[in-house]
């Protein structure tokens, strides 16, 4: 079966007025700030006004380790949200906003797929209500004030080689990764080497995702460390007197956005922190509102359960105080085959044709990854449900292998066809999730904040990644010692590593054990509230491929956008 393009499907549905969507959630009209008929911002006053309503069951959607093309977490989350209505349950979705970098780079859009999408698709993928631009502006204002401080005498004694605050832009642009600023003459600033990251990698984006109120936002912005003095003391945004202006720029971005799915399920869309170096989760504020608006709140965590879900459990839930009731682990046949090691998968290139032949033995050979990701969820005391995201190229014999694997681990599994069938294609998954939510759980963090930074890193590495040990470069060990000396040792850790392997080595498929996690550098996002060790080479400013999605996006003769997918 050949589906119409995602954009055509999205346009085939007339959205309900956003006020009606809000009314279905129990949100009063005075809590909305409409952006046209189909999108609105939700006032933060909703958190207090809804406080007496019962909490929804809280479900996080995660996945096995993906192929470079992704395995459909957003699509499954949307399908699950829609499916709840098919079984008589009321659900709200809480999702990240897509970055325009990937939209114009590889993906062409990130609103779900087929008949499980968030609409309006064009708005979601292009600007929406301007939150990403506000983050970009706030971040770059601080960068400008750092350089202005240097130009006017450097009263705080910032060490030029120890300035950690770069600039950001929501465009994939490899030429900006490493730059020199201040060239020209005395009036043009102090020359120094710096660079750009993509906006999703900004600490401002990460702290916006984790903040709980306007006051908390202001405090977090003030704690941002922009660099260090020549004596090793941290210099903050508050010391540069920048945090107040940054908070003002972010005033509207602090409020989450309300959209809907193709089947009119409410969707709270807010923030988009990077999945490799930040939490990769939607906002705490969005969840604090959504948790009181229905029977089930469904959110999504970036990449596999070793990454986004681990951060959801140990960073986001620690900040929000919300406790999950169940998790969905999305698996695809193609990803499980890829983890067999029998196929050559290259990022940026199509998957090999032979990956789609009927080969249940290869599914079994790659099953270690699924087993490990199930265990990673269970390590936090949460009941997982396996969602088999079905593709037309799958074979029933291969689905049966996944069912047997899940059954052998005592967890539920269901085949989902929601890409083709919408919510109806995920009814069985919705019923399984409801059952899982009704079971008793004992949610637990993987580590205590009082643990040393190295202990936290090692607990994640050994229990979640399957590593035997962790090795630190000399600079990484010195950075950790400095952070602990400066009072940052009680922060959670957010390990930056490849998303293409449970380990830190993207070439290791399945569920490798006995490996060593190499930590080459450690950075502190003090405002966001975590320390992130960097393992391997992590690019925080993606580049464009030879034929990026931007080459096919434009207008048709009627002035309608084309090329989004």
């Amino acid at each position: 079966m050949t589906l119409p393009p995602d954009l055509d499907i999205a346009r085939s549905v007339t959205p309900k007025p956003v006020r009606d969507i809000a009314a279905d959630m129990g949100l009063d009209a005075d809590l909305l700030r409409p952006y046209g008929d189909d999108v609105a911002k939700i006032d933060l006053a909703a958190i207090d006004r809804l406080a007496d309503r019962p909490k929804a069951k809280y479900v996080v959607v995660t996945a096995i380790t993906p192929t470079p093309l992704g395995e459909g977490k957003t699509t499954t989350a949307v399908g699950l949200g829609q499916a709840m209505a098919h079984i008589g349950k009321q659900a709200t979705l809480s999702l990240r906003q897509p970055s325009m970098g990937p939209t114009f780079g590889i993906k062409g859009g990130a609103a779900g797929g087929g008949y499980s999408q968030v609409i309006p698709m064009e708005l979601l993928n292009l600007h929406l209500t301007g939150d990403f631009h506000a983050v970009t502006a706030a971040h770059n204002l601080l960068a400008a004030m750092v350089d202005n401080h240097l130009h006017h005498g450097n009263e705080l004694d910032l060490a030029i080689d120890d300035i950690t605050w770069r600039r950001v832009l929501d465009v994939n642009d490899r030429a900006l990764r490493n730059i020199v600023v201040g060239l020209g003459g005395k009036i043009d600033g102090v020359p120094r080497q710096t660079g750009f990251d993509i906006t999703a990698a900004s600490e401002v984006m990460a702290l916006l995702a984790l903040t709980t109120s306007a006051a908390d936002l202001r405090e977090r912005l003030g704690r941002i460390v922009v660099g260090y003095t020549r004596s090793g003391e941290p210099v903050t945004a508050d010391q540069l007197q920048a945090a107040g202006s940054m908070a003002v720029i972010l005033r509207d971005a602090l409020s989450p956005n309300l959209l809907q799915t193709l089947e009119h399920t409410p969707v709270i869309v807010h923030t988009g922190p990077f999945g490799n170096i930040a939490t990769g989760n939607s906002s705490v504020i969005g969840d604090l509102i959504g948790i009181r608006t229905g029977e089930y709140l469904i959110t999504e965590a970036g990449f596999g359960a070793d990454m986004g879900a681990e951060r959801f459990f140990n960073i986001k839930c620690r900040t929000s105080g919300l406790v999950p009731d169940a998790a969905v682990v999305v698996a695809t046949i193609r990803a499980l085959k890829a983890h067999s090691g029998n196929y050559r998968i290259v990022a940026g290139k199509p998957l090999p044709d032979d990956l789609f032949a009927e080969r249940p033995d290869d599914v079994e050979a790659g099953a270690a990854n699924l087993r490990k990701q199930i265990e990673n969820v269970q390590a936090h005391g949460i009941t997982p449900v396996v969602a088999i995201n079905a593709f037309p190229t799958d074979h029933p014999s291969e689905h049966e292998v996944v069912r047997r694997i899940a059954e052998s681990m005592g967890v539920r599994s269901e085949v989902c066809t929601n890409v083709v069938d919408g919510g109806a294609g995920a009814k069985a998954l919705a019923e399984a999730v409801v059952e899982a939510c009704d079971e008793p759980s004992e949610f637990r963090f993987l580590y205590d904040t009082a643990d040393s930074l190295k202990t936290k890193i090692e607990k994640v590495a050994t229990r979640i990644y399957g590593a035997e040990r962790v090795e630190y470069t000399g600079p990484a060990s010195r950075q950790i010692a400095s952070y602990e000396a400066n009072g940052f040792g009680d922060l959670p850790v957010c390990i930056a590593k490849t998303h293409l392997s449970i380990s830190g080595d993207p070439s290791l498929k399945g569920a490798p054990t006995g490996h060593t996690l190499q930590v080459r550098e450690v950075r502190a996002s003090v405002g966001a509230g975590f320390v992130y060790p960097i393992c391997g080479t992590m690019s925080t400013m993606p580049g464009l491929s030879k034929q990026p999605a931007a080459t096919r996006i434009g207008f048709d003769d009627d002035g309608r956008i084309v090329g989004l997918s």
Side-chain angles (χ1 to χ4, degrees):
M1 176 182 180
T2 301
L3 289 177
D6 285 350
L7 187 53
D8 290 351
I9 294 173
R11 286 176 174 155
S12 71
V13 173
T14 301
K16 286 177 64 174
V18 71
R19 289 184 182 276
D20 293 347
I21 296 293
D24 293 341
M25 303 165 69
L27 290 172
D28 297 330
D30 68 305
L31 292 171
L32 301 183
R33 283 183 274 140
Y35 279 68
D37 294 329
D38 306 328
V39 177
K41 279 197 167 289
I42 305 172
D43 194 282
L44 266 60
I47 296 174
D48 290 334
R49 194 173 302 179
L50 299 174
D52 292 336
R53 295 186 60 180
K55 282 186 180 179
K57 296 289 188 180
Y58 193 28
V59 180
V60 60
V61 178
T62 182
I64 65 172
T65 304
T67 66
L69 298 183
E71 307 317 310
K73 283 193 310 301
T74 303
T75 303
T76 301
V78 173
L80 174 59
Q82 294 181 151
M84 286 295 182
H86 288 259
I87 63 169
K89 305 293 184 181
Q90 184 181 10
T92 297
L93 287 156
S94 181
L95 303 176
R96 286 184 295 170
Q97 180 181 336
S99 164
M100 288 199 301
T103 293
F104 289 103
I106 294 177
K107 289 186 175 182
Y115 289 92
S116 292
Q117 292 189 62
V118 179
I119 56 174
M121 180 196 182
E122 301 99 311
L123 281 175
L124 178 61
N125 287 296
L126 302 170
H127 306 292
L128 194 53
T129 57
D131 294 351
F132 267 62
H133 301 309
V135 169
T136 301
H139 182 113
N140 289 340
L141 172 64
L142 180 55
M145 291 185 76
V146 168
D147 283 302
N148 187 59
H149 183 82
L150 297 177
H151 175 70
H152 287 289
N154 193 12
E155 182 181 344
L156 294 173
D157 197 32
L158 264 167
I160 288 182
D161 292 336
D162 281 332
I163 294 172
T164 55
W165 197 253
R166 291 154 57 92
R167 286 166 168 81
V168 297
L169 188 69
D170 196 29
V171 173
N172 290 4
D173 192 347
R174 63 171 55 83
L176 293 178
R177 288 172 183 164
N178 297 285
I179 64 169
V180 176
V181 296
L183 298 178
K186 267 193 173 183
I187 63 170
D188 299 313
V190 177
R192 66 182 184 89
Q193 186 171 340
T194 180
F196 275 77
D197 301 320
I198 197 161
T199 298
S202 166
E203 183 180 349
V204 176
M205 182 69 80
L207 70 82
L208 184 64
L210 290 168
T211 196
T212 57
S213 66
D216 185 38
L217 174 68
R218 172 60 182 81
E219 290 179 9
R220 287 174 180 271
L221 290 169
R223 292 198 301 265
I224 290 173
V225 174
V226 301
Y228 296 84
T229 67
R230 281 181 283 188
S231 61
E233 297 296 316
V235 176
T236 67
D238 259 347
Q239 289 175 276
L240 290 168
Q241 298 180 303
S245 293
M246 295 170 73
V248 168
I249 292 173
L250 294 168
R251 182 189 63 175
D252 290 338
L254 184 60
S255 297
N257 308 290
L258 179 60
L259 288 82
Q260 62 191 283
T261 72
L262 291 169
E263 297 181 17
H264 313 305
T265 303
V267 186
I268 296 173
V269 177
H270 198 211
T271 71
F274 217 49
N276 286 87
I277 68 160
T279 54
N281 282 263
S282 57
S283 77
V284 166
I285 283 176
D287 286 6
L288 291 175
I289 293 172
I291 202 76
R292 305 284 186 177
T293 61
E295 297 172 276
Y296 293 85
L297 176 62
I298 300 163
T299 191
E300 174 202 346
F303 297 130
D306 57 306
M307 298 193 71
E310 184 271 313
R311 297 163 186 180
F312 170 83
F313 295 134
N314 292 297
I315 300 177
K316 185 178 180 182
C317 290
R318 203 186 294 269
T319 300
S320 70
L322 300 178
V323 175
D325 295 283
V328 173
V329 179
V330 178
T332 62
I333 297 302
R334 70 184 190 185
L336 288 169
K337 286 180 176 178
H339 284 292
S340 70
N342 296 333
Y343 302 88
R344 187 168 180 266
I345 309 294
V346 180
K349 293 187 177 181
L351 297 173
D353 290 340
D354 58 349
L355 193 69
F356 306 107
E358 184 174 6
R359 293 176 181 168
D361 288 348
D362 282 347
V363 178
E364 183 66 57
N369 189 273
L370 174 60
R371 292 189 180 96
K372 179 57 177 165
Q373 300 291 29
I374 289 172
E375 290 172 353
N376 286 342
V377 172
Q378 292 172 327
H380 296 89
I382 299 302
T383 301
V385 177
V386 175
I388 306 169
N389 183 23
F391 285 71
T393 51
D394 294 352
H395 303 275
S397 62
E398 297 169 338
H399 290 165
E400 187 56 33
V401 172
V402 182
R403 284 188 175 279
R404 288 202 308 269
I405 294 165
E407 186 177 0
S408 71
M409 298 194 70
V411 303
R412 301 169 179 84
S413 66
E414 297 293 346
V415 175
C416 301
T417 60
N418 49 278
V419 172
V420 175
D421 300 317
K427 281 177 63 178
L429 175 64
E431 290 166 346
V433 168
V434 169
E435 291 175 1
C437 286
D438 288 339
E439 292 180 354
S441 61
E442 296 182 2
F443 174 66
R444 55 186 174 269
F445 298 120
L446 195 67
Y447 52 78
D448 191 274
T449 54
D451 291 341
S452 70
L453 290 176
K454 283 190 174 182
T455 298
K456 293 169 192 170
I457 295 166
E458 286 153 17
K459 284 184 178 179
V460 175
T462 56
R463 296 191 60 186
I464 303 299
Y465 305 161
E468 183 176 332
R469 62 196 184 97
V470 179
E471 284 185 355
Y472 304 86
T473 64
S477 288
R478 289 192 293 272
Q479 287 157 348
I480 288 173
S482 171
Y483 296 149
E484 290 181 334
N486 283 308
F488 309 151
D490 61 346
L491 296 178
V493 294
C494 183
I495 299 177
K497 72 173 189 70
T498 179
H499 62 284
L500 297 174
S501 173
I502 289 179
S503 74
D505 181 349
S507 68
L508 298 180
K509 302 304 179 185
T513 58
H515 53 91
T516 298
L517 186 72
Q518 304 278 352
V519 177
R520 66 173 178 84
E521 182 183 356
V522 184
R523 299 179 186 174
S525 288
V526 182
F530 56 77
V531 170
Y532 63 101
I534 300 174
C535 305
T537 302
M538 302 299 305
S539 175
T540 52
M541 171 53 86
L544 295 172
S545 61
K546 188 174 183 180
Q547 286 192 308
T551 61
R552 65 174 185 267
I553 294 172
F555 290 113
D556 64 14
D557 292 340
D558 296 321
R560 299 191 311 170
I561 294 170
V562 296
L564 291 173
S565 60

